[in-house]
Amino acid sequence: MHGKRQSAQISLALLIASAITLGMLVLTIVLIGQSFRGMETAKVSAAGSTARQLAISVDDRIQAITAPPSTALAVLSHDSLAGAQTLAQRLDRLPVLADILTSSDIVSAVYAGYQNGDFVLLRKVRSSGTLQFPDAPNETRFLLQTITRGGEETPGQWRFFNADMQLIEQRPVPEYNYDPRTRPWFNAARASDSTELSAPYAFFTTQETGITLSRRASEETGGAGTIFGIDVTVTDLSTQLAELRQTPNTRIAIVNQDREVLADSGNAKEPGPAISGALDRLGDHMEGSSVTRFSAGGKDWYGMTEPLGALQQEGLSIAVAIPSDELLADVWAALARQTVIAGLIALLLLVIGWFLGRRVGRPLEHLTDQVSRLSRFRFDTPVRSDYNIREARQLSVALDDMAKTIRSFQSIATVLNRGQNLNHLLRDILEQIIHIVGQERGGIYLFTRQKNQLSLAVKQNLQLPDTISNVQADSDDNEIIRLLRRNISGHPVFAVLRNRRKQLIGVLAIEMEVGDHTQLSDDLIVFVDEIAGSAAVAIETRELIESQQALLEGIIRLVANAIDAKSPYTGGHCERVPKLAQMLVDEAMASNDRAFYSFTMTGEQLQEFHLAAWLHDCGKITSPEYVVDKAVKLETIHNRIHEIRTRFEVLHRDAEIRYLNRVLSGDEEAAADQERQATLARLQEEFRLIATANQGGEFMAEEDIEKIRSIGEQTWMRHFSDRLGLSPDEKNALQPSPEAPLPVTEQLLADKPEHLRPWGEHIPPVRKDDPRNRWGFDMELPEYAYNRGELHNLTVAKGTLTDEERFKINEHIVQTICMLDALPLPDRLANVPKLAGTHHERMDGHGYPCGLTAADMGIPERIMAVADVFEALTAVDRPYKEGKTLTESLTIMARMVEDGHIDRAVFELFIRSGTYERYANQHLQPGQIDEVDESLFMKPD
């Protein structure tokens, strides 16, 4: 409960401050989000505008690149170089070509191609800042490449010149077989009267990317078919594009319609994923612009493309890809600054809200301290607050009223829950309800269904009739109240009490004499009805509990009576042991001995012990009657001594017949008679021995056992079938053995196979390793369920029971535990099976059925064992023994103490408290009550 209360606590000051701060933060987040969207859009729009400006700049640059060379080419088309037929004539015009090269940084070569395939080209050794010919001699500034066809020398010649056009080295190049007539620039200019501009391509010698301006020579020069050309590199465009980047990693590229890169800010030869994404216009299109947002190479990019106006026939375009994080870097920096400012404002608002919350929450904190007493069940605490905050004052008044209501409910709930006796419960209910409604007098009637009347159960300061007759059980509340008003004067308020099944069980009457009863509020009437309903349920519950208790007691009596009807001997035992055990428990609780100093039992535990004592031998219901009451050794359903007597009668007549046969055959009559008389006397003595052994006793000598076995070896002749007139059980027992042909000789006493009864499927779960044994039984199981052999029974050394029958007797405690454990006993009676099932355990662990030791048993279990033993020793209604005197019984019990059978402390309490004597006066025969020397049985300290 406290954990839940703590998890729900929150400071009002913190709540107010948090609410203000949270509102500010939400507003700030919204504004920052909108600001971010606006700045992002602005940045993207700026990037798009930049791309368009960049396209214009590139267009201008391309125009700037191509305009000067075009002018120079127009002048060169009128030069005499066009008509020069020999290499020497052409070399004379080299200064003109050198002037064109030196006049422009972007012109990399000037050349002339002739109709016959000759070719003259002057180029810069260093173009676009890069040395194109590393193997050129030092100080080389220009390289002249010539092809002269038809001469004896090598057609291809390279000449290296310095800045003053002085020849440094001449080098034949046999592999230089360039033919201008096969080049696109040559063919384009030959078919045109104006300057032609080629598409960007890789130059033949240097592999630089550039464009070629070509023009056909003027006819006046005499060089018909000669084509002049100027190579212009665009490599420096990549450098210029890199300078135009908005961010360090922005990619800018100029590509043609075949997606070939002409210039790239990163000097790349291929478009790359970023430029490809921009060209393909992948990703999301940004609203209001031509910019797209896409991912490439594991990064986010903004991409845009713009067509170039220059070289329209080539379909050039410029593509820009800007990393998202770099483009928005300024945006994020601005957002960070705004966030810091917003955080400082929120902190300030938090402090302001904290102070405001403290001012508002101070009265509530005081009220909380008072209400916390209610949470600690101090409902008598007045809850009042004198602060000027209206809500706090109203809350305190409501809580104070609630505390009073809770006190009323607490009082009535205590009465309803704790009432044990029905009369006391009714009186307490009446007092509490009268107090709750602020009155002084009232009464409760209970309905008697058999008499159809209301009987006054309890009243307080009010004169009421003892009974109200002619009340029908099926009457509705209004009819009952009208009947009550005719019999009860004054101004009472009635509440009809009904149980869960809406059956009438009584009426509550309260005399309304304090104040104006006509002003009784509807809420109070409803409250009284509801409380009365709870009282009705409590009354019904108490009646059910008492009925349940009575039913349980009745079942116990029923079981005892059933045992008594089956065997009056054990029935008396079941009645006497609980009385003796209860006497011992009372003495143990009152004793100051060290062994019992802390021993006590609650009312429920006493009830549990009482039930266990009554039911401690209930398992004997399953024990065969002839085993429980077996008075002689040969007894089963009947005493089989009569069968054996009949056999002796047969032997007796056989002796008479032998005597007569001897006399008839001529033998001496005196000798024959002497033999007859000796045989008859022996038979009488042998039968007397067997009959005496059949009665059982404390001990049977071994020599008597041998005599019985010897007697049993005598034979007699059976002339009648033993398979006729049998029960199914007897037939099943004889089935494995074939019937012998008649007449058959049989022993006088025998243990026959049919005397054995196997367990079959009815093996009890008493062995420790039996998976069915969930109770902890640990008993030795005989090989057979029963052994009815005559010699086996007659030679029992002690008492009348065989080992099989003694197990069957002992098994009653197993059945007791199993039967009681199967009952749906409530928790308060959960120990009944244990208490009832341990009275045959021993302190030394050699008892049954579980082999418990003294450490495993409490005082109630030890008391039960002592009570069971003493009752069994002194009982006079057992068929197999006589009841012993007090001294004899206590002497035997003292030996049992020494042997570890029963508990010494309980035994000495039994003697010292005089319990044995009080019990003897109530249940023993006068002849059993002798003078007892208690000192003989008390162990000296």
Side-chain angles (χ1 to χ4, degrees):
M1 181 180 67
H2 296 294
K4 291 183 178 178
R5 184 176 67 249
Q6 291 175 358
S7 63
Q9 288 180 348
I10 183 171
S11 170
L12 180 61
L14 179 59
L15 182 62
I16 294 175
S18 300
I20 295 174
T21 305
L22 181 61
M24 180 60 189
L25 288 177
V26 171
L27 178 60
T28 302
I29 291 172
V30 172
L31 293 177
I32 289 176
Q34 293 297 325
S35 175
F36 172 77
R37 294 293 300 275
M39 287 189 288
E40 180 187 27
T41 302
K43 273 288 187 179
V44 171
S45 298
S49 299
T50 301
R52 288 190 291 273
Q53 293 296 327
L54 183 61
I56 295 173
S57 299
V58 171
D59 276 336
D60 293 342
R61 180 59 179 166
I62 292 176
Q63 293 294 339
I65 289 173
T66 58
S70 179
T71 302
L73 189 61
V75 174
L76 185 61
S77 64
H78 295 280
D79 191 84
S80 60
L81 178 61
Q85 299 299 316
T86 64
L87 179 59
Q89 294 174 344
R90 297 166 185 167
L91 291 177
D92 289 339
R93 303 302 300 165
L94 285 181
V96 175
L97 301 181
D99 290 340
I100 295 174
L101 285 178
T102 56
S103 64
S104 176
D105 293 334
I106 63 173
V107 175
S108 62
V110 180
Y111 45 87
Y114 295 91
Q115 185 68 30
N116 62 352
D118 288 352
F119 183 66
V120 176
L121 180 146
L122 183 67
R123 70 166 66 250
K124 298 174 182 175
V125 176
R126 187 177 297 275
S127 175
S128 299
T130 303
L131 181 64
Q132 301 295 336
F133 301 92
D135 58 344
N138 294 334
E139 297 183 1
T140 299
R141 175 74 178 275
F142 302 103
L143 168 63
L144 177 64
Q145 299 173 229
T146 62
I147 293 179
T148 305
R149 305 180 188 278
E152 296 181 358
E153 298 181 356
T154 301
Q157 297 285 331
W158 284 13
R159 292 175 174 80
F160 297 91
F161 296 90
N162 61 15
D164 297 329
M165 291 304 295
Q166 294 178 352
L167 181 63
I168 300 175
E169 181 184 340
Q170 180 175 340
R171 185 182 302 170
V173 184
E175 67 274 11
Y176 185 56
N177 56 0
Y178 183 82
D179 189 346
R181 295 171 296 180
T182 61
R183 307 303 291 174
W185 59 267
F186 188 94
N187 294 323
R190 184 169 55 184
S192 174
D193 295 332
S194 61
T195 300
E196 294 295 326
L197 182 65
S198 71
Y201 69 99
F203 296 150
F204 180 82
T205 304
T206 62
Q207 294 301 308
E208 292 180 280
T209 300
I211 57 178
T212 296
L213 285 76
S214 59
R215 188 180 182 90
R216 188 175 60 190
S218 175
E219 294 180 357
E220 62 193 27
T221 61
T226 301
I227 304 299
F228 289 102
I230 295 178
D231 286 344
V232 178
T233 62
V234 294
T235 305
D236 61 333
L237 282 177
S238 297
T239 304
Q240 294 179 15
L241 291 178
E243 295 173 354
L244 295 175
R245 291 181 298 185
Q246 291 179 269
T247 67
N249 293 310
T250 294
R251 292 290 306 279
I252 304 175
I254 300 174
V255 296
N256 61 15
Q257 58 189 4
D258 296 327
R259 298 177 71 97
E260 295 177 348
V261 176
L262 305 183
D264 188 285
S265 60
N267 293 319
K269 301 297 183 180
E270 298 294 333
I275 295 300
S276 296
L279 291 171
D280 296 334
R281 303 186 63 80
L282 300 174
D284 301 326
H285 291 271
M286 304 302 293
E287 185 178 358
S289 69
S290 60
V291 180
T292 58
R293 183 185 177 97
F294 62 93
S295 296
K299 295 175 64 176
D300 291 334
W301 300 80
Y302 287 98
M304 59 218 78
T305 59
E306 290 290 339
L308 295 178
L311 307 179
Q312 293 184 1
Q313 70 278 13
E314 302 301 329
L316 301 182
S317 62
I318 185 167
V320 181
I322 307 174
S324 173
D325 54 348
E326 294 182 2
L327 178 64
L328 301 180
D330 294 339
V331 175
W332 288 114
L335 289 178
R337 289 192 299 272
Q338 293 178 5
T339 302
V340 171
I341 295 172
L344 294 176
I345 294 174
L347 182 62
L348 178 62
L349 291 176
L350 184 63
V351 174
I352 295 173
W354 175 263
F355 284 108
L356 292 176
R358 291 295 296 171
R359 292 293 300 270
V360 175
R362 189 171 293 113
L364 295 181
E365 288 181 357
H366 177 70
L367 192 59
T368 300
D369 292 339
Q370 293 178 307
V371 174
S372 64
R373 298 181 184 180
L374 296 180
S375 69
R376 295 192 295 271
F377 311 106
R378 294 288 303 277
F379 301 119
D380 56 343
T381 302
V383 184
R384 291 290 182 181
S385 176
D386 296 330
Y387 285 94
N388 295 324
I389 298 177
R390 181 178 60 189
E391 288 79 4
R393 181 181 294 274
Q394 292 174 346
L395 178 60
S396 68
V397 173
L399 289 173
D400 194 52
D401 293 340
M402 181 190 69
K404 293 178 181 178
T405 303
I406 292 175
R407 287 199 298 274
S408 299
F409 277 105
Q410 186 182 34
S411 299
I412 192 67
T414 302
V415 170
L416 296 179
N417 293 330
R418 294 183 180 177
Q420 298 295 324
N421 181 274
L422 181 58
N423 290 330
H424 293 166
L425 174 65
L426 293 173
R427 187 171 301 279
D428 291 340
I429 288 174
L430 180 61
E431 290 178 357
Q432 291 299 327
I433 294 180
I434 289 176
H435 174 72
I436 288 174
V437 299
Q439 301 300 317
E440 297 177 353
R441 298 192 296 170
I444 295 179
Y445 284 91
L446 293 182
F447 178 64
T448 305
R449 191 172 301 276
Q450 293 80 3
K451 298 180 180 180
N452 286 333
Q453 68 179 21
L454 291 170
S455 302
L456 183 62
V458 292
K459 65 179 180 178
Q460 179 175 315
N461 304 324
L462 183 61
Q463 293 300 320
L464 295 170
D466 292 335
T467 60
I468 299 176
S469 303
N470 299 321
V471 179
Q472 301 301 318
D474 56 353
S475 299
D476 61 21
D477 292 358
N478 293 329
E479 293 176 354
I480 295 173
I481 291 175
R482 282 196 294 269
L483 178 62
L484 290 170
R485 291 196 183 280
R486 289 197 296 266
N487 290 271
I488 300 175
S489 60
H491 306 287
V493 172
F494 299 106
V496 179
L497 306 179
R498 294 186 180 274
N499 61 19
R500 296 175 179 87
R501 298 186 298 276
K502 304 302 181 182
Q503 296 174 335
L504 177 64
I505 64 171
V507 174
L508 169 67
I510 301 177
E511 179 65 25
M512 304 302 297
E513 57 186 355
V514 178
D516 187 358
H517 69 277
T518 61
Q519 300 300 319
L520 186 63
S521 67
D522 293 338
D523 292 339
L524 183 57
I525 293 175
V526 172
F527 174 74
V528 171
D529 285 339
E530 291 177 350
I531 292 297
S534 300
V537 172
I539 293 171
E540 180 196 21
T541 302
R542 178 48 50 195
E543 290 179 339
L544 289 175
I545 291 174
E546 292 182 356
S547 299
Q548 183 188 54
Q549 187 64 35
L551 177 62
L552 189 56
E553 291 285 348
I555 291 175
I556 293 172
R557 302 290 181 181
L558 177 65
V559 171
N561 290 336
I563 297 175
D564 185 47
K566 180 179 180 182
S567 172
Y569 318 116
T570 55
H573 174 77
C574 291
E575 182 179 358
R576 292 188 292 268
V577 167
K579 296 179 181 179
L580 179 55
Q582 187 62 52
M583 294 168 66
L584 266 174
V585 164
D586 293 339
E587 291 296 337
M589 288 193 294
S591 175
N592 291 323
D593 293 347
R594 183 173 61 182
F596 307 101
Y597 184 77
S598 60
F599 174 69
T600 185
M601 295 182 75
T602 64
E604 289 185 350
Q605 289 173 329
L606 286 171
Q607 176 67 16
E608 187 178 51
F609 181 80
H610 173 72
L611 295 180
W614 269 98
L615 296 170
H616 79 285
D617 270 348
C618 66
K620 286 185 178 178
I621 292 179
T622 65
S623 301
E625 180 183 351
Y626 75 87
V627 174
V628 176
D629 299 339
K630 189 177 182 184
V632 293
K633 295 180 180 179
L634 291 174
E635 183 175 357
T636 53
I637 303 300
H638 71 287
N639 188 352
R640 292 181 293 163
I641 191 66
H642 306 298
E643 297 181 13
I644 295 175
R645 183 188 298 111
T646 300
R647 298 175 198 164
F648 271 92
E649 292 288 352
V650 172
L651 293 179
H652 186 281
R653 281 154 181 75
D654 285 347
E656 291 286 354
I657 291 171
R658 281 197 305 271
Y659 163 72
L660 294 176
N661 286 336
R662 287 184 65 182
V663 172
L664 291 175
S665 64
D667 288 350
E668 184 179 354
E669 182 178 356
D673 183 60
Q674 182 180 3
E675 178 189 3
R676 181 189 65 172
Q677 294 299 332
T679 300
L680 296 179
R682 177 178 59 78
L683 290 175
Q684 290 289 343
E685 183 61 31
E686 289 175 347
F687 179 74
R688 186 178 296 106
L689 176 61
I690 291 174
T692 302
N694 186 42
Q695 293 178 331
E698 293 294 331
F699 177 74
M700 186 176 183
E702 186 64 32
E703 58 188 34
D704 291 336
I705 295 176
E706 292 300 323
K707 286 181 182 179
I708 290 174
R709 295 186 184 278
S710 177
I711 293 170
E713 292 177 356
Q714 299 179 68
T715 60
W716 64 285
M717 188 69 67
R718 177 170 60 84
H719 294 82
F720 298 91
S721 173
D722 60 355
R723 308 298 169 105
L724 301 178
L726 303 183
S727 68
D729 178 64
E730 291 173 311
K731 290 180 180 179
N732 291 333
L734 286 169
Q735 189 174 6
S737 303
E739 183 178 5
L742 298 175
V744 61
T745 301
E746 292 191 351
Q747 288 187 346
L748 182 62
L749 303 173
D751 289 340
K752 297 181 180 180
E754 55 264 29
H755 289 149
L756 301 176
R757 294 293 187 273
W759 289 107
E761 298 179 356
H762 305 290
I763 300 177
V766 298
R767 289 180 290 194
K768 202 166 188 178
D769 57 350
D770 193 327
R772 301 171 298 159
N773 182 6
R774 57 186 178 86
W775 300 274
F777 301 142
D778 189 8
M779 298 176 64
E780 185 176 351
L781 188 71
E783 183 178 0
Y784 296 97
Y786 294 102
N787 187 339
R788 295 179 178 136
E790 295 163 342
L791 287 172
H792 181 74
N793 281 263
L794 285 171
T795 55
V796 171
K798 185 177 181 180
T800 63
L801 299 177
T802 63
D803 290 341
E804 293 79 11
E805 292 166 336
R806 189 164 299 281
F807 173 81
K808 199 63 183 177
I809 290 290
N810 292 347
E811 190 193 6
H812 83 276
I813 200 66
V814 172
Q815 296 300 328
T816 294
I817 294 174
C818 293
M819 290 167 60
L820 295 179
D821 187 58
L823 292 177
L825 296 171
D827 291 343
R828 60 189 179 89
L829 302 178
N831 288 323
V832 166
K834 178 182 178 184
L835 291 171
T838 55
H839 60 279
H840 285 295
E841 300 289 354
R842 294 169 51 113
M843 300 302 104
D844 58 5
H846 293 152
Y848 66 91
C850 298
L852 303 180
T853 64
D856 301 320
M857 292 185 286
I859 292 175
E861 292 94 322
R862 303 180 191 189
I863 287 176
M864 193 85 76
V866 170
D868 185 74
V869 169
F870 185 75
E871 194 285 330
L873 291 173
T874 58
V876 296
D877 51 8
R878 305 297 169 90
Y880 46 82
K881 73 173 191 65
E882 297 179 353
K884 299 186 182 300
T885 65
L886 289 178
T887 300
E888 290 173 339
S889 301
L890 294 177
T891 301
I892 294 174
M893 293 178 71
R895 288 200 300 268
M896 295 175 73
V897 170
E898 296 298 330
D899 293 341
H901 192 138
I902 58 178
D903 183 67
R904 176 178 296 279
V906 174
F907 175 66
E908 293 184 354
L909 175 68
F910 180 55
I911 297 174
R912 184 172 53 254
S913 64
T915 303
Y916 75 95
E917 191 172 9
R918 293 196 302 275
Y919 174 81
N921 292 330
Q922 297 176 20
H923 300 284
L924 268 61
Q925 299 292 336
Q928 292 179 273
I929 304 175
D930 58 355
E931 191 70 26
V932 175
D933 184 0
E934 295 181 356
S935 62
L936 297 176
F937 310 110
M938 306 296 291
K939 183 177 181 181
D941 294 335

